[in-house]
Amino acid sequence: MSAPVLAVTVGDPVGIGPEITAQVLAEFAGRDDQHGIAVADLAVMRRAVEVIGLDVELRSVTDWSTASAGEGVIDVFDIGVLGENLPEWGTVDARAGKAAVTAIEVATTAAMDQRIAGIVTGPINKEAVWESGSVHLGHTEMLGELTGVTKQDTMFVVENTKTPGHKLQIFFATRHMSLRKAIDALTVETQVDSIERAHRALQLYGVAEPRLAVAALNPHGGENGAFGDEEIEILRPAVEAVNAGSGFDVAGPIPADSVFHQGLTGRFDGILSQYHDQGHIASKTFDFDGTISVTVGLPILRTSVDHGTAFDIAGKGLADAGTMRSAYTAAIGYAPFVDGIRAEYLPR
């Protein structure tokens, strides 16, 4: 079986994305378990390599099936947006936003056409994207439109140092809304849907018999209604309904101050978080650089860093490539499951 080809979009070309992409692709060059190709203007990658002092060759490729040149060579799929006239580091620039959007479009098209195994995305600047003329709020919305998908979920992946070889995957019942609105959005029906989608995602991404837990919302899981009744009226009935109707063995609701620890020690493969920060705080406190994001629901594999463009240090050679390394490594691990992911989520 040939090594999976992974397209790495650098994100905003004047943020830290090009630097961390160059670092990671240089590290992995020559390994036979993958072939990474940066998606950016060639001049962008040339400038990044110079900034971080990498002794590598940059090779422009136009065919995704081009064989890897091996150690010391970074392949670049030149998108031809900026040419040699690059914007200044760390500035909000419409041309940079256009380059970021074009890279995403190019990589996603290749993934949809099954010319690559998946994409790994670097950080974009939303303001620059909007100044370029795009109406999308970010990666998720762009990827949805490009793939024809309207329902997507975020899956955080934490490489588990407490239990080597075990990954903890965190899902979110609600995401970008205020805490008050997130609580109001919880119903038995939406919770059942979130549980079932998370359970199926675990299967598609390689867990044959998922052990999924549902995090409680209130302190101590509500203490039988003393600290809140969402567990009694919403979460527990949803778990019971899923287990009875689907034959799953979903646990919960389990108090949030212990369920993530239980997941990290290997008791669970996945945890459904009830709101954005509940899962983010747990995962990023444990391993900020190792926590990466996977967009579930797309008919393509997409992993991503979970940090911003860091304009304040862009172009200074200071960027830590840890999260990009984790996102790239995760993509290699999930690549064997791409066919099943595509079959499940490709719009009919």
Side-chain angles (χ1 to χ4, degrees):
M1 182 177 180
S2 59
V5 178
L6 298 170
V8 185
T9 61
V10 303
D12 194 299
V14 299
I16 63 171
E19 296 170 70
I20 61 178
T21 297
Q23 289 181 61
V24 170
L25 291 185
E27 290 174 16
F28 282 82
R31 282 181 37 170
D32 60 7
D33 59 346
Q34 49 69 54
H35 178 198
I37 300 177
V39 187
D41 283 83
L42 188 63
V44 167
M45 295 306 296
R46 186 183 306 121
R47 183 169 71 169
V49 165
E50 291 172 356
V51 162
I52 58 180
L54 274 180
D55 182 18
V56 294
E57 173 190 346
L58 295 175
R59 181 177 69 161
S60 179
V61 299
T62 57
D63 187 339
W64 297 104
S65 64
T66 302
S68 170
E71 188 174 353
V73 179
I74 297 176
D75 285 334
V76 183
F77 197 100
D78 190 349
I79 59 175
V81 174
L82 299 174
E84 297 295 327
N85 182 23
L86 303 183
E88 291 294 322
W89 289 109
T91 58
V92 175
D93 188 285
R95 293 175 62 236
K98 176 62 176 176
V101 171
T102 300
I104 295 166
E105 293 172 343
V106 167
T108 304
T109 298
M112 288 294 287
D113 292 344
Q114 301 183 70
R115 288 179 284 165
I116 60 175
I119 65 177
V120 182
T121 58
I124 62 174
N125 179 277
K126 291 181 174 61
E127 188 178 350
V129 167
W130 295 333
E131 287 195 7
S132 76
S134 174
V135 298
H136 296 298
L137 294 175
H139 271 115
T140 302
E141 294 76 16
M142 276 187 271
L143 292 167
E145 181 176 294
L146 291 168
T147 60
V149 169
T150 58
K151 177 67 173 177
Q152 303 170 52
D153 298 308
T154 295
M155 179 176 77
F156 268 16
V157 182
V158 185
E159 288 293 339
N160 196 343
T161 56
K162 285 184 174 290
T163 308
H166 173 72
K167 289 194 291 280
L168 177 63
Q169 285 134 137
I170 301 173
F171 302 86
F172 301 86
T174 60
R175 294 181 61 238
H176 293 145
M177 58 180 67
S178 71
L179 181 55
R180 184 179 299 280
K181 289 182 178 179
I183 294 171
D184 291 342
L186 296 176
T187 67
V188 173
E189 292 74 20
T190 59
Q191 190 74 183
V192 166
D193 182 59
S194 294
I195 293 170
E196 291 179 342
R197 291 174 67 85
H199 193 277
R200 182 59 179 148
L202 288 170
Q203 292 177 319
L204 291 168
Y205 283 81
V207 183
E209 298 182 2
R211 298 166 299 164
L212 177 66
V214 172
L217 176 70
N218 294 298
H220 300 187
E223 286 281 17
N224 293 317
F227 302 149
D229 56 13
E230 285 82 4
E231 285 76 16
I232 296 171
E233 296 185 358
I234 298 172
L235 305 185
R236 192 177 304 150
V239 170
E240 291 172 352
V242 169
N243 287 340
S246 304
F248 298 162
D249 186 20
V250 177
I254 299 174
D257 63 358
S258 60
V259 70
F260 294 100
H261 171 75
Q262 293 175 26
L264 288 167
T265 53
R267 182 174 176 181
F268 302 114
D269 304 297
I271 295 170
L272 177 63
S273 170
Q274 297 305 324
Y275 56 92
H276 181 279
D277 282 9
Q278 188 181 56
H280 278 245
I281 292 171
S283 59
K284 292 180 180 179
T285 299
F286 177 73
D287 188 359
F288 189 90
D289 290 333
T291 297
I292 62 99
S293 176
V294 178
T295 306
V296 173
L298 297 173
I300 63 172
L301 170 63
R302 182 254 177 154
T303 67
S304 180
V305 299
D306 195 58
H307 60 67
T309 52
F311 277 174
D312 59 324
I313 62 169
K316 298 179 180 179
L318 302 175
D320 187 335
T323 306
M324 175 60 82
R325 185 180 299 107
S326 296
Y328 191 79
T329 301
I332 297 171
Y334 288 132
F337 310 116
V338 167
D339 288 345
I341 292 167
R342 179 180 179 85
E344 180 80 10
Y345 297 127
L346 191 67
R348 303 296 189 263

